[in-house]
Every structure is written in C-alpha cells, then in structure tokens.
Amino acid sequence: MAEDRPKRRYNSTRRQAQARETRRQILETAYRLFTIRGYTGTTMEALASEGGVAVETVYATFGSKRVVLARLVDVAVGGDDAPTPILERPGPQHARSEPDQRKQIHLFARDMAGIMERVGPLFGVMRAAAISEPEIATLLERLLKTRWENIAVFVQWLARNGPFRVGLSAEEATDIVWTMSSAEVRQLLIDDRGWTRERYEQWLTETLSVLLLPPEATTPR
C-alpha cells in the first residue's frame, strides 16, 4: 500500500494579487470616469468596459457604484489601499510626535496638501451627486463628519504642546482647521487662482499658525 502523501497546501498568494490588481484597475478607471462624467454619468457597465473587466467582476468586487466611490475616497485619502486608518499613518504620526506647535502645523499642511490633491476632485463629484442621490448625500455627510473628528484629534495633539490664541476653544480651532484645509479652499487657490502646491502648503502653514496660536514672542533689541 502506497504511503499517504501530505496534501499540498493551497497557495492563494497569486489569486490575492490578481484580485488586488483588479480592484486597483477598477478604482483607477472609476477615478477618471467620475471626475470627467460625474457620478450619475458613470455606470457600472462603463466602469467594466473602460477598465477592461466584465461587469460581473465589478459587481462581485464592490457590489454597487456607491461602494466603488466610497472605497475610492478611502484610497485617495490614504494614498494606497492598505487598511491603515489615516491617523495611524506616518504623516499624522510624525505631527503627533513633534513637540513644536508651528512645526506640527507645517507637517499637517504638507500632509494635507497631498491628501487634498488626491481626494479634492472626489468631494466635488460627491457634492454634485448629493443633490439628486440621497445615498451619496449620506456618504458625503459621513465623510465630512469623520474628517472633522480626525482634525479634532490633530487639534488635541497641538494643544498638548502649548496654548491656543486667547479666547479660542478647541472646537473653534477644529472648525478653523477643517475649513481652511478643505477641498473647496484648495480648489479656489490651486485650480482657480493657479497657485502651486508649494505655495498653497506655505499659505496653509502660515494661516493656521496665525489663526490658532498666540503671536510669537519677539526679542527686544
């Protein structure tokens, strides 16, 4: 009787890599189509056709067009498809560990310039779609709330290293940062006024420093 041979383990690495590549391909196509045609003008069939996959694959991978958009926003915010929350990524963690408030703000501005460059156009897509698509209105509301909550954490990190401007509460400070670093303000300065990313980053650093922090002490001559 022949000896029983151990069964070969099923190696799913290749299949996982293929699935990840398919997701990436669909999301890249979705970003292009959403920002050109809008949410309502982009169909699942178009995502499949332009992405070079079967429409059944798009449905099997994401389930719905709303999920495609939501996942696309997650990837744009983080810069990749890793499941790491934004506050646990290197940029925010660097700002968290920095003991100087003004340097913290600069690190935040630098990180935000990159994030909003990627995700800003998608906020425009969602705002346009939210007018007639209740599920996108709900998605946008949730994303804006999450963004405010994340910025509130950054404001807490900032408050640990020194005071805010006299009379400024943590909630007001969060509102200021949330507004000044928004996709809408970035669009006005970069897309409409033609600012460079570097100029925007410097402006955001300087503006937040003035609005949030006490004036820097000057050395008398």
Side-chain angles (χ1 to χ4, degrees), residues 38-178:
Y39 179 80
T40 56
T42 301
T43 63
M44 294 288 270
E45 288 76 16
L47 291 176
S49 176
E50 296 286 335
V53 298
V55 68
E56 292 82 7
T57 301
V58 181
Y59 278 105
T61 304
F62 294 101
S64 71
K65 189 168 64 169
R66 186 199 66 82
V67 174
V68 174
L69 180 57
R71 183 56 183 150
L72 189 56
V73 171
D74 289 341
V75 172
V77 170
D80 56 49
D81 62 355
T84 307
I86 185 63
L87 292 179
E88 296 178 15
R89 289 176 175 266
Q93 285 299 305
H94 192 184
R96 179 184 185 180
S97 61
E98 171 57 53
D100 182 273
Q101 285 179 307
R102 283 174 169 77
K103 290 182 180 178
Q104 281 182 294
I105 290 175
H106 173 67
L107 291 169
F108 171 85
R110 185 174 66 188
D111 210 26
M112 193 57 61
I115 291 173
M116 282 302 164
E117 185 174 55
R118 297 188 300 266
V119 80
L122 297 177
F123 274 109
V125 169
M126 286 186 287
R127 287 197 182 280
I131 298 172
S132 58
E133 301 279 349
E135 63 177 8
I136 302 304
T138 300
L139 173 62
L140 177 60
E141 182 180 359
R142 178 176 63 80
L143 290 172
L144 291 174
K145 182 175 182 291
T146 299
R147 182 172 178 269
W148 192 95
E149 291 170 346
N150 287 339
I151 287 177
V153 174
F154 167 73
V155 168
Q156 291 174 9
W157 296 343
L158 202 60
R160 293 174 188 167
N161 293 325
F164 290 138
R165 184 167 48 81
V166 175
L168 185 67
S169 68
E171 183 174 359
E172 290 172 323
T174 303
D175 285 343
I176 289 171
V177 178
W178 186 76

